[in-house]
Amino acid sequence: MTSVPPGQPPVPGTALLRLVEVMDTLRVSCPWDRKQTHESLAPYLLEECYEVLDALESGEPAALRDELGDLLLQVVFQARIAADRADGTGFTIDDVAEGIVAKLVRRHPHVFGDVTVSGADEVISNWDTIKAAERAAAGGEPGSALDSVPFGQPALTLAAQLQRRAEGAGAPAGLADLAAGPAEQPVSELGAELFALVVRARAAGLDPELELRAAARAYRGRVRAWERTSRG
């Protein structure tokens, strides 16, 4: 068990090591934890992501801290399950951490290398260039800037991410006008309008998913107020 010498402040990351230890114990000693798989935990992973977002929107730091802990557990749990595999495809939580550290260092040459940038916009541009090179190295060809966009995410977020990726790759802005010209797949008038609203939101510097969530909260408040009034 990890510990801190008396009189010394805790070393950052010490509690993370304790979490790994606890997860190891649960995986061996708890019947429920022992039977879990990557697939069985998938719904919890998605649920915890949404709960983190709810806590973030609530503006309550304590709630955000707690929900981030629940999300962190899912990462550690998934890695612990992977570590049990004996078919050569397993990996550990250290492999996960080392992978993201290597990626961050590789994609921040202006911090860890000798590249000079003029500001945040150039950082993003360099990031996109490095990611494109990574895709080419992995697949042996340039591939598409949209290859890694997950289509399982909410539609507004998906549309915004596709637009960002396409713009970063230099795609003409007119491609986002789904109401203009023929399309490879049929798009309803409503669908084209919704996609155009995402374009408008991003042009205004707004996140369309968060804006709709804010509108939904406002509507919830109105309905609850109506319910209280109607009950007399």
Side-chain angles (χ1 to χ4, degrees), residues 58-127:
S58 75
E60 299 178 7
L64 179 59
R65 177 200 62 208
D66 290 346
E67 295 302 341
L68 285 172
D70 290 343
L71 181 58
L72 178 60
L73 170 61
Q74 293 302 311
V75 175
V76 173
F77 206 158
Q78 290 280 354
R80 183 60 180 81
I81 291 172
D84 287 335
R85 293 203 296 269
D87 60 358
T89 65
F91 55 84
T92 68
I93 189 64
D94 284 330
D95 295 323
V96 173
E98 288 173 358
I100 189 59
V101 166
K103 182 182 294 185
L104 289 173
V105 171
R106 186 170 62 249
R107 294 184 181 179
H108 290 78
H110 55 286
V111 176
F112 301 102
D114 55 4
V115 173
T116 301
V117 296
S118 59
D121 289 343
E122 193 171 352
V123 170
I124 295 174
S125 177
N126 288 345
W127 181 285

Side-chain angles (χ1 to χ4, degrees), residues 31 34 37 45-47 77-78 80 107 109 112 122 126 132 158 179 186 204 207 224 226:
R34 191 165 55 242
T37 65
L45 178 59
L46 185 60
E47 179 181 313
F77 206 158
Q78 290 280 354
R80 183 60 180 81
R107 294 184 181 179
F112 301 102
E122 193 171 352
N126 288 345
L158 170 62
D207 184 302
R224 286 178 174 174
W226 168 79

Side-chain angles (χ1 to χ4, degrees), residues 185-220:
Q185 297 180 350
V187 178
S188 69
E189 181 179 350
L190 178 60
E193 290 176 357
L194 289 171
F195 200 80
L197 282 175
V198 175
V199 174
R200 285 181 52 192
R202 295 185 55 251
L206 302 173
D207 184 302
E209 182 75 21
L210 297 182
E211 291 304 308
L212 185 57
R213 287 177 62 87
R217 289 196 303 274
Y219 178 68
R220 178 183 62 184

